[in-house]
Amino acid sequence: MKANRSQRGMSLVEVIVVMAIALVIIMASFQMLEETTRVTMFIETRNDLPIIAQSAVNYLQTAISQSKQIFDADTTGVGPGYLAALTVPMTPLTGSRMPLINTNGQFVADTTDPFTGNCLLIARQLAPIEIKYTGGQLELDRYRFEYYFLTKRTNWKFVGSDGYVDAMRARSNEYADYFQLSNLPGSITAAQRKEINEKLMAQAPNKILMAWDPGQPINKTMYKLTTNGTSAATAYVLDDKHKIVMNDVKSITPQINSARVFGKMNYSIAFRKSATETYPITTPVSRYAVFASAKPLFPSGLEFVVVGNATTRRVLSRLTIMAHYRANEYASQEASVITAP
């Protein structure tokens, strides 16, 4: 019995032709999807980079504009002593150093003199605190030390390197103004001085247990508040081995950790991979500092330049972010701001 012609199956040739056509359609669709994804990543990267960089330098601008003192790398000054006294629960990037103040007042790239730094330590002046005590009240200045630095993270890798670089902010507890406390009016009694100290030490949410004498070396500047108000000498005891504990640490570029898309798009502060390898990105990254082969990660993508004397001082904060969004395609974005503290 012959099969009806309309009931015959497809021949092998017909199946192969249909499969070939389907494969071409699938490949074309995949290519279009891949191209759309690439363009989307490119646009997203271009949108993200300036936002991340500018947000960070704006944060730095606010902090520096409120600084009471900027510490620098001058070994004859107080900066290195304060830096050595920091206790930070995160390792700064290899080769980190504070800027050296350039008193000629010009923002120029380093040649041989190393003025540029990639970390910054400041004493930030906070809003005065009002202390009411029996018989009166005071407004006292208070300060907080803030340290801005780079660190290497390894929870994921940037373009085949051993990690990526993040910009961090660490800050200390609050300190009272020792000069104000030690020069309270002569009418202040021992009981009132004791009450003032007790109220400082009970402040919420940040207890003030120490007083700082601005401008002094680290071994002559920190005083522990006591409840002995007999005199200034007993109410504030010099702590010549004081450590500035930086427990509050956070990233000033948090988008670096949150902006990854299916592992295909990574961000990092710009860095060199080694002493002989340049940045992982193909476009050159300008810089103020002079690279040293002994410190391949200095300055990376965060730079601070401080110029001028104490009355005309200005600070350049500069940050360069890298992005890797597909295969060998990269991008970078620089943001900078000049602040008069």
Side-chain angles (χ1 to χ4, degrees):
M1 186 175 183
K2 290 185 177 181
N4 190 308
R5 188 176 182 85
S6 63
Q7 295 178 337
R8 288 175 48 201
M10 296 178 64
S11 67
L12 180 59
V13 174
E14 291 172 327
V15 172
I16 293 175
V17 170
V18 171
M19 291 180 63
I21 294 173
L23 182 59
V24 169
I25 294 174
I26 292 172
M27 290 180 64
S29 300
F30 179 80
Q31 187 173 1
M32 289 176 61
L33 177 61
E34 181 72 8
E35 184 65 19
T36 301
T37 302
R38 187 193 71 79
V39 171
T40 300
M41 287 184 175
F42 173 81
I43 294 173
E44 185 172 344
T45 299
R46 287 297 184 181
N47 290 338
D48 284 348
L49 284 175
I51 293 173
I52 298 172
Q54 194 62 52
S55 175
V57 296
N58 288 348
Y59 188 98
L60 290 167
Q61 180 184 29
T62 301
I64 293 169
S65 65
Q66 296 174 357
S67 63
K68 171 71 174 179
Q69 184 170 347
I70 295 175
F71 301 92
D72 79 331
D74 185 1
T75 56
T76 64
V78 300
Y82 276 81
L83 186 63
L86 299 185
T87 300
V88 184
M90 185 172 285
T91 304
L93 199 65
T94 302
S96 294
R97 74 180 187 208
M98 293 186 294
L100 181 64
I101 295 175
N102 184 354
T103 55
N104 68 16
Q106 297 179 1
F107 288 114
V108 294
D110 292 347
T111 53
T112 56
D113 296 321
F115 290 110
T116 305
N118 64 345
C119 67
L120 189 71
L121 175 61
I122 65 171
R124 187 168 181 171
Q125 187 159 5
L126 307 175
I129 185 172
E130 187 176 274
I131 298 294
K132 294 181 179 180
Y133 60 93
T134 303
Q137 66 180 41
L138 293 170
E139 273 199 359
L140 297 174
D141 290 334
R142 57 199 176 110
Y143 308 100
R144 182 174 63 218
F145 294 94
E146 296 188 358
Y147 181 47
Y148 296 89
F149 63 99
L150 297 174
T151 192
K152 175 68 74 66
R153 292 181 179 268
T154 57
N155 51 304
W156 51 265
K157 318 297 182 184
F158 185 88
V159 199
S161 62
D162 59 349
Y164 66 101
V165 175
D166 201 357
M168 310 300 297
R169 182 231 65 199
R171 66 185 186 187
S172 70
N173 293 328
E174 296 177 9
Y175 291 73
D177 189 307
Y178 171 75
F179 181 81
Q180 287 181 309
L181 290 174
S182 61
N183 289 278
L184 292 176
S187 58
I188 294 287
T189 66
Q192 288 172 324
R193 189 185 298 273
K194 177 176 181 292
E195 184 181 358
I196 291 168
N197 276 11
E198 287 176 340
K199 293 207 168 181
L200 285 170
M201 296 164 70
Q203 281 297 307
N206 301 308
K207 297 178 180 179
I208 300 178
L209 306 178
M210 301 289 299
W212 175 54
D213 190 5
Q216 298 298 318
I218 188 66
N219 62 339
K220 298 178 180 179
T221 193
M222 299 297 187
Y223 293 82
K224 184 177 180 181
L225 303 186
T226 75
T227 55
N228 184 346
T230 304
S231 67
T234 56
Y236 321 110
V237 178
L238 177 66
D239 181 359
D240 60 357
K241 293 180 172 36
H242 182 68
K243 292 295 183 182
I244 304 173
V245 180
M246 300 283 201
N247 284 327
D248 185 0
V249 182
K250 75 171 189 177
S251 171
I252 63 172
T253 52
Q255 302 93 329
I256 284 180
N257 280 313
S258 61
R260 306 178 70 224
V261 179
F262 305 118
K264 292 185 178 181
M265 184 160 55
N266 294 335
Y267 294 88
S268 176
I269 307 298
F271 67 93
R272 291 201 300 174
K273 296 169 76 172
S274 70
T276 56
E277 294 179 283
T278 58
Y279 290 103
I281 58 178
T282 54
T283 53
V285 176
S286 59
R287 58 188 182 276
Y288 271 75
V290 175
F291 279 132
S293 58
K295 299 178 180 179
L297 293 178
F298 176 85
S300 290
L302 181 64
E303 293 180 297
F304 297 101
V305 183
V306 185
V307 303
N309 57 41
T311 58
T312 62
R313 188 154 296 158
R314 295 181 299 159
V315 181
L316 168 68
S317 304
R318 185 171 173 277
L319 183 70
T320 304
I321 305 283
M322 301 188 299
H324 166 234
Y325 56 88
R326 178 180 178 269
N328 293 317
E329 297 178 359
Y330 311 96
S332 66
Q333 177 71 38
E334 174 196 337
S336 63
V337 64
I338 295 175
T339 307

